[in-house]
Amino acid sequence: MIDAPLIELPAFLDGDTVFQHLDRVLDPELDESIVALGFVIAVRGNDAGDITVDLRLPTYWCAANFSYLMASDVRLELLKLPGVRAVTVSLEDHFASDAILSGIAPGKSFGETFPEGGPDSLDQTRDLFLRKGYFARQEVLLRHLKSAGLAFEEIASLLIGDIRFDDIQSTEGDCSVVSADGQVRPVGEAKVARRYLDRRAELGLDCTEETHLIIDISGAAIPVNELETYYVRARTARLAMEANGSLCSALLEARNSARAPIGGPERQIQQ
């Protein structure tokens, strides 16, 4: 069970809006929101526009580069909010908390903060996990398409324009695809296709309606005789990420159970 985070924000900042921005910050290894994972334990702010975010990661030894990425992304996301002038990110009970804080606050790179190890930029690390997440999200969509009764031959011919969303402006609702024979096949929750297409766009891959729905990381359509093997490989990536996610959740739950909750049964908001 995830404890509700403590929220103490000034009147000009809406808590839901703040958490919408925090929800965009992903654990790079798990491809899941730090909010959904329960990493955010407190968000505090003042009338001057200074915000402090407290994160609790699953273990004391969570990798410095992953932790730095998340802390940096929190800062960048919240600085987009009108009226926010400074963001401080703290990592509770983390071996590199002080170093990360000293690097994040002035906007230093990972290499400047940890000159003894790692590249000067985390772009390669970020790109690696964006790609892993791409395969995992793609496999979930493929699984839904197969469950809808589409054969690999049909899936290989689908275009992005063949997707039909119940609500074109939202991730809510369901979606369907129009197969080559004109039949409309329901494929389940719209967010499955949305998440895949969002990651595809993040990676700079073609997302126009005339492009094949299932493409590899280079942007090439996958031949029908190779699609089943490709699917198995993508499934392996997804299962590995889910296994890591389950382990992290168990570790964080054990960590949280040893502490009194900071929030309470519901979010505490003071304005």
Side-chain angles (χ1 to χ4, degrees):
M1 179 179 177
I2 297 174
D3 292 328
L6 170 68
I7 305 177
E8 297 177 348
L9 293 173
F12 77 89
L13 277 175
D14 174 66
D16 288 339
T17 302
V18 169
F19 271 79
Q20 286 172 10
H21 281 260
L22 290 174
D23 199 45
R24 298 172 189 168
V25 179
L26 304 180
D27 179 306
E29 189 175 23
L30 305 181
D31 195 35
E32 291 290 342
S33 157
I34 63 171
V35 174
L37 290 167
F39 294 174
V40 181
I41 58 174
V43 182
R44 301 177 177 88
N46 60 32
D47 290 330
D50 303 318
I51 296 181
T52 299
V53 179
D54 299 329
L55 302 180
R56 181 188 296 152
L57 303 183
T59 73
Y60 178 80
W61 294 109
C62 280
N65 55 350
F66 297 161
S67 304
Y68 199 92
L69 268 176
M70 288 184 277
S72 178
D73 287 351
V74 165
R75 176 177 176 270
L76 293 174
E77 274 297 328
L78 295 187
L79 283 174
K80 296 176 183 177
L81 293 170
V84 174
R85 70 170 188 175
V87 178
T88 300
V89 184
S90 69
L91 300 177
E92 183 190 88
D93 196 23
H94 186 274
F95 81 99
S97 177
D98 291 343
I100 290 174
L101 177 59
S102 69
I104 293 297
K108 290 183 180 179
S109 70
F110 179 75
E112 291 172 321
T113 307
F114 295 95
E116 69 283 356
D120 185 62
S121 170
L122 289 180
D123 288 345
Q124 288 183 326
T125 301
R126 188 190 300 276
D127 186 63
L128 170 64
F129 285 98
L130 284 175
R131 289 167 179 257
K132 289 179 68 174
Y134 173 77
F135 289 123
R137 294 183 186 196
Q138 190 178 59
E139 187 274 341
V140 175
L141 177 59
L142 280 166
R143 187 153 36 93
H144 277 67
L145 293 171
K146 282 173 53 63
S147 296
L150 279 80
F152 282 117
E153 291 79 6
E154 296 174 289
I155 295 173
S157 66
L158 288 174
L159 306 179
I160 289 180
D162 293 325
I163 303 178
R164 301 289 186 271
F165 293 101
D166 288 354
D167 185 345
I168 197 169
Q169 301 295 330
S170 170
T171 59
E172 301 300 319
D174 295 327
C175 69
S176 55
V177 295
V178 181
S179 55
D181 60 4
Q183 187 175 0
V184 178
R185 309 279 188 89
V187 294
E189 294 178 302
K191 66 181 180 181
V192 170
R194 292 285 193 199
R195 276 173 55 82
Y196 163 63
L197 293 174
D198 286 347
R199 179 53 51 84
R200 183 164 159 164
E202 281 183 272
L203 290 168
L205 299 172
D206 192 347
C207 293
T208 56
E209 292 192 350
E210 300 77 18
T211 311
H212 280 88
L213 179 60
I214 304 300
I215 58 176
D216 65 21
I217 201 68
S218 72
I222 301 165
V224 63
N225 63 325
E226 298 178 12
L227 186 54
E228 185 169 5
T229 300
Y230 181 89
Y231 171 63
V232 172
R233 290 175 179 169
R235 181 167 172 256
T236 300
R238 191 260 306 170
L239 290 173
M241 294 184 81
E242 286 187 358
N244 284 340
S246 296
L247 176 60
C248 283
S249 295
L251 291 171
L252 185 61
E253 184 175 351
R255 204 173 207 214
N256 288 339
S257 67
R259 294 167 170 79
I262 289 182
E266 297 182 2
R267 291 179 180 173
Q268 300 175 6
I269 302 180
Q270 298 178 7
Q271 294 186 332

